[in-house]
Amino acid sequence: MKNNELDSTVAESTGGVLTVNPTTTLAGIYSSDMGAFTDQANIYSLFEHTSDELIPPTRGTDWGDNGVWRQLYQHTWDPTHSYILNTWNQIHNRIFKCTQILGSSPSADEATHAKFLRGFFMWYAMDLFGQVPYREVTEGADVNPKVLSRSEAFDHIVQDLTEAIAGLPTTGPIATNSKGTRAAANAMLARLFLNKAVYKGENAAGPYTFDKADMDKVVQYCDAVTADGYSLEPEYFKNFSVSASKEIIFTSAAGTPENRYRMTLHYDNHPDGWNGFATLADFYGTFDPADKRRGSYPTPDGTEFSGIARGFLVGQQYNDKNEQVINSRNKKPLAFTPEVPLLGAATEQGIRVIKYHPADKGQYILLRYADVFLMKAEAIMRGGTGDKTALELVNELRTLRGAPALGALTEADMLAERGRELYWEGIRRVDLIRFSSFGKTWQDKDNTEDYRVLFPVPQQAVDSNPNLTQNPGYSGAK
């Protein structure tokens, strides 16, 4: 699924003022526009395909796609990459819709949600591109949007989310939290201040200096989420099912997490997949064998989809009747192998990942409490003040997940723990950058150019708005 959008919307124009029906536009964002986050390409691909936990092997001619996946994985993209352009357009389309709502005499509740959503979408623009073109609702389509610096965008997002909090509902955890809540706004504020050193730093690639006052704010925002009734779910994979409850802060009512299992399952699994993406053997190796998050072999009992495991799929695959699945390509038993090359992979190579299970998939998660829990632990590790030590918090999580307690906690341990808890959930790129690890090498990825912590502004955008300048390191940068 590929979406090509423009960074403006069709609306009534009066004297340069673009107005919309705030009620229907807001409803459309929640019911339709959030689906952009569930696609395997575009937004998701920029956060996960650029990381050390997802590899997009080419299998013969399958998944070649003119190199779009490999370029992301190997950090060799340029300003013409189609998924970078699509992401830019998707995000800025939604930012401007929110601004239109705010300029169209919304109710107090509609204005609250528009500010929350604008802050949510603008975080993606700021994080990915480091600059945000911003058009006032009083400016017509013929006016070139001004450009907020990364620091200015950070302040704008904080203001939007802070102003929204008082008017947002406090629902507590439910399986379908698909509208803004106080917990969602507080979770986003925690994410902002945990990464403030990145967003406010003179050099986007670091080094980063984390201020205690900012880390204290992270703890404050995380505690506010906890106070709304959220807690860790003892059954890890329940989080991704229709019975999820304790951890689910914000989900997408649009789209489906079906992409997440179709993009990784083999053609001969049931359900059949597109036989695409896998995880790296090195990433899989970071899990303790007892860690429940690693998953376990399924227990096929004849019911539909009972042959599909949860977590990492490695080794011989079985169908719902507990019979060996046969690889239709080579007529041999289908067994997923840990080793998988980026180029020329056989159809059975690569460990597959299943978080959303076809038997009981829930809504696609945008914000989850375990992320908040680990943000608090990291903030304390970086000097913030909390009610427990960072090590105590991490071990509390690990014990719940069946992993042995750590005796000490380093930055490397914290990054690894976030990977084990949040793998394939669309946040890994952010973590790698904050831990100064995005430029490191891993399997089949040798590029260490540090300017790639920011994506290039798409060439189409640069050509259409003279206020934009290309990010350093890319063709056309000044």
Side-chain angles (χ1 to χ4, degrees), residues 32-286:
S32 178
D33 286 356
M34 304 307 291
F37 295 93
T38 70
D39 187 7
Q40 74 274 9
N42 304 328
I43 297 171
Y44 181 80
S45 69
L46 267 56
F47 283 91
E48 285 294 340
H49 282 268
T50 58
S51 80
D52 61 348
E53 64 182 19
L54 187 155
I55 185 168
T58 299
R59 306 175 189 276
T61 59
D62 294 345
W63 293 98
D65 295 340
N66 297 314
V68 292
W69 308 105
R70 293 194 303 275
Q71 288 164 12
L72 292 176
Y73 180 79
Q74 294 184 307
H75 292 205
T76 59
W77 58 78
D78 65 29
T80 66
H81 195 288
S82 59
Y83 294 167
I84 295 174
L85 173 62
N86 291 346
T87 296
W88 175 277
N89 287 337
Q90 287 175 334
I91 291 170
H92 288 95
N93 168 280
R94 287 151 179 76
I95 292 171
F96 187 59
K97 281 185 181 179
C98 295
T99 300
Q100 286 180 300
I101 292 171
L102 292 167
S104 302
S105 301
S107 68
D109 183 64
E110 289 166 345
T112 290
H113 281 275
K115 287 182 179 179
F116 164 74
L117 286 168
R118 186 169 65 178
F120 181 81
F121 296 135
M122 194 177 287
W123 174 78
Y124 282 88
M126 175 196 67
D127 181 84
L128 292 169
F129 300 103
Q131 53 182 300
V132 182
Y134 183 76
R135 191 196 305 274
E136 298 290 350
V137 73
T138 54
E139 297 174 332
D142 58 335
V143 176
N144 291 317
K146 64 182 179 182
V147 177
L148 302 179
S149 68
R150 206 176 203 189
S151 179
E152 290 169 335
F154 178 94
D155 294 339
H156 196 291
I157 298 166
V158 169
Q159 180 177 339
D160 268 352
L161 294 174
T162 302
E163 291 178 356
I165 281 181
L168 288 170
T170 303
T171 63
I174 55 177
T176 56
N177 268 340
S178 57
K179 291 187 177 180
T181 62
R182 292 190 185 186
N186 278 313
M188 287 303 298
L189 284 165
R191 180 178 290 177
L192 279 157
F193 279 91
L194 185 62
N195 291 280
K196 184 179 177 182
V198 178
Y199 301 145
K200 290 279 189 174
E202 291 185 10
N203 185 347
Y208 311 120
T209 301
F210 298 88
D211 187 81
K212 173 176 167 46
D214 295 330
M215 298 302 101
D216 285 342
K217 285 186 177 181
V218 175
V219 173
Q220 170 193 330
Y221 292 128
C222 292
D223 285 346
V225 176
T226 305
D228 281 349
Y230 294 86
S231 60
L232 294 171
E233 170 57 58
E235 298 178 44
Y236 180 69
F237 292 105
K238 184 178 179 180
N239 283 309
F240 312 99
S241 73
V242 291
S243 22
S245 59
K246 295 182 179 181
E247 289 197 33
I248 309 307
I249 299 172
F250 190 37
T251 64
S252 170
T256 170
E258 181 178 352
N259 279 33
R260 295 298 176 264
Y261 58 78
R262 293 281 186 185
M263 71 188 192
T264 192
L265 286 176
H266 192 272
Y267 315 115
D268 297 307
N269 283 123
H270 180 63
D272 61 309
W274 308 324
N275 203 37
F277 313 135
T279 197
L280 286 77
D282 287 344
F283 181 77
Y284 177 72
T286 67

Side-chain angles (χ1 to χ4, degrees), residues 52-53 73 279-287 312 338-340 351 420 428 441-444:
D52 61 348
E53 64 182 19
Y73 180 79
T279 197
L280 286 77
D282 287 344
F283 181 77
Y284 177 72
T286 67
F287 287 77
F312 295 96
E339 296 74 25
V340 55
I351 299 171
R420 286 186 286 265
R428 186 61 172 176
T441 62
W442 48 79
Q443 180 195 323
D444 293 320

